[in-house]
Amino acid sequence: MNCKCITFLKQMLLVSAVSLCFPLAQSCSTLENVGCPYIIDNPHVEIGENHNYHNYAGAYLTVYNDSEKTIQNYTVSFMLYDSDGEIPFTGTNCVVAECQKEIAPRTEEEFVVSLDSFISVVPDEPYVIDYLYLREIEYTDGSNWKDPFGMYAQREVNE
């Protein structure tokens, strides 16, 4: 083979590779989740009875919808520790809860998660919330936003 033929084959191989990879790159949706569409404020645990939500303990947080869409529901995830950094339960310390309350764009709502089903002994002091984030948000227009790995998680949220 001569040099012109080899150069032509290399160019054809390059054009083929680019033409195959370009549609794949176009179908990626990585830019869809750039930026966090929510803000979590004032996460804390309260001990004691709240007649509407819990008998012994509850996790409280305020979720601000930082998007142009109305949130239909969302799933929150966090871990709980005692003041010594130990897991305070016999089972898992990972709490996952779903909120079925709509949040209009640029507004906020308080969400309370009952911790009664996790505890076997009433705690003396509030738990520490760690690795707090929204796993998924579903909007009223049928679209959704996901953070399955907790890329926007807040770490070591203390009282």
Side-chain angles (χ1 to χ4, degrees):
M1 258 190 223
N2 63 23
C3 265
K4 287 183 182 181
C5 188
I6 291 175
T7 304
F8 176 76
L9 288 175
K10 285 182 182 178
Q11 289 175 345
M12 289 305 294
L13 184 59
L14 179 61
V15 168
S16 297
V18 169
S19 65
L20 287 174
C21 292
F22 186 75
L24 293 175
Q26 292 296 317
S27 67
C28 289
S29 61
T30 55
L31 295 179
E32 253 178 61
N33 284 346
V34 171
C36 188
Y38 66 88
I39 297 171
I40 295 176
D41 188 27
N42 195 27
H44 63 282
V45 173
E46 292 184 11
I47 304 299
E49 185 176 3
N50 180 328
H51 293 290
N52 297 326
Y53 300 109
H54 55 82
N55 292 318
Y56 302 105
Y60 291 71
L61 56 129
T62 301
V63 176
Y64 176 78
N65 180 1
D66 196 21
S67 75
E68 299 298 325
K69 302 176 185 180
T70 299
I71 293 176
Q72 181 174 322
N73 59 61
Y74 57 90
T75 303
V76 65
S77 178
F78 57 90
M79 294 181 178
L80 293 172
Y81 295 93
D82 64 17
S83 60
D84 297 326
E86 300 294 323
I87 297 173
F89 313 118
T90 303
T92 182
N93 69 328
C94 182
V95 178
V96 177
E98 188 170 324
C99 181
Q100 298 286 335
K101 193 170 185 179
E102 285 191 6
I103 306 175
R106 310 290 183 221
T107 60
E108 64 185 26
E109 290 288 334
E110 184 178 59
F111 181 44
V112 181
V113 179
S114 173
L115 302 176
D116 291 352
S117 63
F118 287 86
I119 61 177
S120 56
V121 176
V122 178
D124 294 330
E125 55 188 32
Y127 301 119
V128 175
I129 297 174
D130 189 24
Y131 209 69
L132 169 65
Y133 67 100
L134 299 188
R135 284 186 178 194
E136 183 173 4
I137 300 172
E138 292 182 15
Y139 297 99
T140 55
D141 68 359
S143 64
N144 63 19
W145 180 91
K146 294 181 181 181
D147 182 11
F149 305 111
M151 298 299 290
Y152 294 100
Q154 295 180 24
R155 300 300 315 253
E156 298 179 20
V157 179
N158 295 310
E159 285 276 316

